[in-house]
Amino acid sequence: MSRSIGKISYIKLFTDIVVIISVFMLATLLTKGAFEKTDFILLLLLVIGWYFSTKMSNAYDDFRTERYIGELLLIFQNVLIQSIIAGQVLFIFDQHDSSRLFVVKYVMILTIVLVIKNYVIKKLLVYYRQKGGNIKNVVFVGYNEITANLITQIQNNPHYGFKVIGIIAKEEEVVDFGGNTYLGDLKKFLDMNEDYKIDEIIITTEEISKAMMEKVFILSENRAIRTKIVPSYINYYPSRLQFKFFGNYPLITFRSEPLQEYHWRLVKRVFDIVFASLVFLFVFSWLFPIIAILIKLDSKGPVFFRQDRWGKDNKKFKCFKFRSMKPESKDVTEKGTFNQATQNDPRITRLGQFLRSSSLDEMPQFINVLLGDMSVVGPRPHAHEHNIRTKDEVDSYLVRHWIKPGITGWAQVNGYRGETKTIEQMEQRVKYDIWYIENWSLGLDFKIVFMTVFNMVKGEEMAY
């Protein structure tokens, strides 16, 4: 709710810099046993790098309503930048002998100390706020469902450190404020001389004139109160909103997608290439010939099965799979509908049953990853006919195609893989896919990969 830089944020920054200096000295002594002039240059660059990297990542925002895991990811992100700075500077200084050992020790110790330090601070702040300290006093303008929900969150989470001073609303809106103080209508509030201790005014209604809105801003500026507005359309479009400027005009995008940013697309592409290359080197190189021979022995026909799938921006591509069905099998019925694989499907070969249940039939899609048609993680691509049938039946279905499809995905590791017998099942799959698009991170991709491997080992009910 509030993310302003305050005293606590500066304390966090100062203590983090102290930690960086202390850990640097310790890592240097453990690695070389003494300090050199170049070490102090490196230390200065690390401190400067920490300041700017944390500033860019908003690491010292007021995370009152955030879980610790969010702060933890920011720690890892900024420590990674520290390792890059250290490695590059030591390379320039031609200190190859000790550089790797120093960077490993520095990064490991720094990560451990920062995780513990920030966890302790987080717990102390939660306790302090529960006892009434570091409180922000809030006044709401307007009373509706948004207001009631925000007040409930504040009351159920005292560790957020917010206190509702009262509600400003029209008299006809006054029914039941749940025990909260009614401060009258907006005109009465603006005219009153009482000097309430208010830190934030949150406007949750659109039923306010431009002239009255200007008076609220003047009042808040004169009393150093921060004013915030919750747009009413958030009730009708509850996805993540993104605020940007187009020239001098503010724009609100209804869906926030991390992969809209070029640098994150680059990071994901590098991950895809490295991961797919490792799979080819250590797994596919020996597994492919074995599976190819078994497919040929099991039934006549090609080793690979290629099918038209929809990729990013609805562009079709040829998706590779190990053939798991009899060569005469058809994807489309005589009526023109898509013929999904079902449990005990007679089209599936004996070996194909094993390949599908173990997900090994999907392995050739790493070829698609290297070609750039797919990603390791993303919404699963559906067959052309399947997309044609479903896009008009399921709301927001085509949003899945804003990013590259994946070999595995968030919907699949949460049980929505394979056959979709009902529209409701497809709607759930789409919800998981859209959540992934809006919440993508490299850490989430790693998590999905690990969950996929775990599911492959234990076996999946819908894998047929």
Side-chain angles (χ1 to χ4, degrees):
M1 189 181 293
S2 174
R3 285 195 167 188
S4 58
I5 300 295
K7 293 180 181 178
I8 292 175
S9 298
Y10 285 115
I11 291 172
K12 287 181 179 180
L13 173 60
F14 175 75
T15 53
D16 281 350
I17 291 175
V18 170
V19 167
I20 288 172
I21 295 171
S22 302
V23 171
F24 178 88
M25 295 175 66
L26 177 60
T28 302
L29 291 173
L30 290 174
T31 305
K32 298 187 294 186
F35 293 97
E36 301 173 3
K37 290 182 180 180
T38 54
D39 292 328
F40 295 102
I41 297 175
L42 174 57
L43 176 58
L44 178 62
L45 293 173
L46 288 172
V47 171
I48 294 173
W50 181 265
Y51 173 77
F52 283 104
S53 69
T54 53
K55 187 178 181 66
M56 291 176 64
S57 61
N58 299 317
Y60 296 113
D61 283 0
D62 189 359
F63 294 98
R64 288 172 181 260
T65 60
E66 302 282 350
R67 294 183 177 181
Y68 180 63
I69 186 65
E71 297 182 56
L72 199 63
L73 292 174
L74 285 176
I75 291 174
F76 294 151
Q77 176 181 326
N78 287 290
V79 169
L80 176 61
I81 295 174
Q82 289 280 293
S83 69
I84 294 172
I85 294 173
Q88 291 299 312
V89 172
L90 289 172
F91 178 80
I92 293 171
F93 288 156
D94 197 24
Q95 296 185 8
H96 305 298
D97 296 335
S98 59
S99 60
R100 292 181 182 177
L101 190 59
F102 168 80
V103 172
V104 170
K105 290 180 179 179
Y106 175 69
V107 168
M108 287 181 62
I109 299 172
L110 183 62
T111 302
I112 293 170
V113 175
L114 287 177
V115 167
I116 295 173
K117 192 216 77 163
N118 281 274
Y119 181 78
V120 171
I121 289 178
K122 182 79 170 179
K123 289 298 181 182
L124 289 174
L125 282 174
V126 168
Y127 178 78
Y128 184 48
R129 287 165 183 160
Q130 287 177 331
K131 295 298 181 181
N134 191 226
I135 295 295
K136 287 186 179 293
N137 295 320
V138 181
V139 165
F140 285 94
V141 176
Y143 190 76
N144 48 36
E145 184 180 354
I146 296 174
T147 315
N149 289 338
L150 287 172
I151 291 174
T152 300
Q153 287 186 43
I154 290 172
Q155 292 173 339
N156 292 340
N157 299 278
H159 58 280
Y160 286 176
F162 291 99
K163 179 181 179 182
V164 180
I165 297 299
I167 299 169
I168 303 163
K170 297 178 182 179
E171 289 187 11
E172 56 265 29
E173 294 178 344
V174 181
V175 180
D176 179 18
F177 287 154
N180 294 288
T181 304
Y182 175 54
L183 301 178
D185 61 20
L186 186 56
K187 186 177 184 304
K188 179 181 176 182
F189 176 74
L190 293 172
D191 293 339
M192 69 172 52
N193 295 319
E194 295 180 59
D195 189 15
Y196 285 98
K197 178 63 177 73
I198 301 171
D199 296 300
E200 294 187 3
I201 294 175
I202 300 178
I203 301 173
T204 60
T205 179
E206 288 187 341
E207 296 181 9
I208 178 173
S209 67
K210 181 180 178 182
M212 294 297 279
M213 182 76 80
E214 288 178 353
K215 289 183 179 180
V216 171
F217 288 144
I218 293 171
L219 173 72
S220 61
E221 291 291 314
N222 290 339
R223 297 192 183 182
I225 301 170
R226 288 184 173 86
T227 300
K228 300 177 180 179
I229 300 174
V230 180
S232 61
Y233 47 75
I234 197 169
N235 271 339
Y236 308 103
Y237 209 96
S239 18
R240 299 174 63 190
L241 303 177
Q242 189 176 43
F243 183 86
K244 288 185 176 181
F245 275 90
F246 184 80
N248 295 324
Y249 294 93
L251 297 178
I252 295 177
T253 303
F254 283 116
R255 293 196 187 277
S256 173
E257 311 152 58
L259 290 173
Q260 278 186 315
E261 304 292 339
Y262 174 77
H263 61 281
W264 289 129
R265 292 202 303 273
L266 180 61
V267 167
K268 188 170 175 63
R269 182 59 183 153
V270 170
F271 168 75
D272 287 340
I273 292 173
V274 171
F275 191 92
S277 299
L278 292 173
V279 169
F280 270 94
L281 182 63
F282 294 106
V283 180
F284 211 58
S285 57
W286 59 269
L287 187 61
F288 168 71
I290 295 174
I291 295 179
I293 292 171
L294 292 175
I295 290 174
K296 284 293 187 179
L297 292 174
D298 185 54
S299 62
K300 294 181 179 181
V303 171
F304 289 124
F305 169 70
R306 297 196 308 161
Q307 186 181 53
D308 284 338
R309 301 281 179 103
W310 283 18
K312 187 175 183 294
D313 299 327
N314 303 330
K315 293 178 181 178
K316 287 197 292 185
F317 68 96
K318 292 292 184 181
C319 180
F320 290 91
K321 295 182 70 173
F322 280 127
R323 183 175 60 82
S324 60
M325 291 188 177
K326 298 170 185 176
E328 65 273 13
S329 302
K330 295 182 180 180
D331 290 336
V332 181
T333 65
E334 294 179 357
K335 296 181 180 179
T337 59
F338 178 65
N339 196 9
Q340 267 191 296
T342 59
Q343 196 166 17
N344 301 319
D345 196 315
R347 296 174 297 166
I348 300 175
T349 64
R350 291 172 299 174
L351 178 64
Q353 184 64 51
F354 167 75
L355 293 176
R356 298 175 76 95
S357 63
S358 60
S359 298
L360 290 175
D361 63 320
E362 312 285 358
M363 288 287 288
Q365 285 164 33
F366 283 105
I367 298 173
N368 291 114
V369 172
L370 292 178
L371 291 174
D373 298 321
M374 293 179 64
S375 180
V376 174
V377 181
R380 283 293 297 156
H382 296 152
H384 173 70
E385 293 79 7
H386 202 175
N387 284 294
I388 294 296
R389 187 194 74 187
T390 312
K391 66 183 181 68
D392 296 324
E393 297 178 342
V394 177
D395 290 338
S396 307
Y397 178 81
L398 291 181
V399 173
R400 305 169 71 251
H401 299 149
W402 283 358
I403 65 172
K404 290 181 182 179
I407 297 175
T408 184
W410 184 238
Q412 281 62 44
V413 297
N414 282 282
Y416 291 95
R417 63 158 291 173
E419 182 185 11
T420 49
K421 298 179 180 178
T422 64
I423 291 297
E424 288 73 21
Q425 287 177 319
M426 181 57 77
E427 288 173 343
Q428 287 301 312
R429 179 181 287 186
V430 170
K431 285 181 180 179
Y432 275 100
D433 287 336
I434 292 176
W435 185 92
Y436 171 80
I437 292 171
E438 294 178 341
N439 294 275
W440 176 88
S441 70
L442 191 59
L444 180 59
D445 275 3
F446 277 112
K447 178 180 179 179
I448 292 172
V449 169
F450 287 131
M451 291 176 69
T452 301
V453 174
F454 177 77
N455 289 342
M456 286 175 64
V457 173
K458 77 169 186 177
E460 296 182 85
E461 183 181 347
M462 295 298 293
Y464 52 79

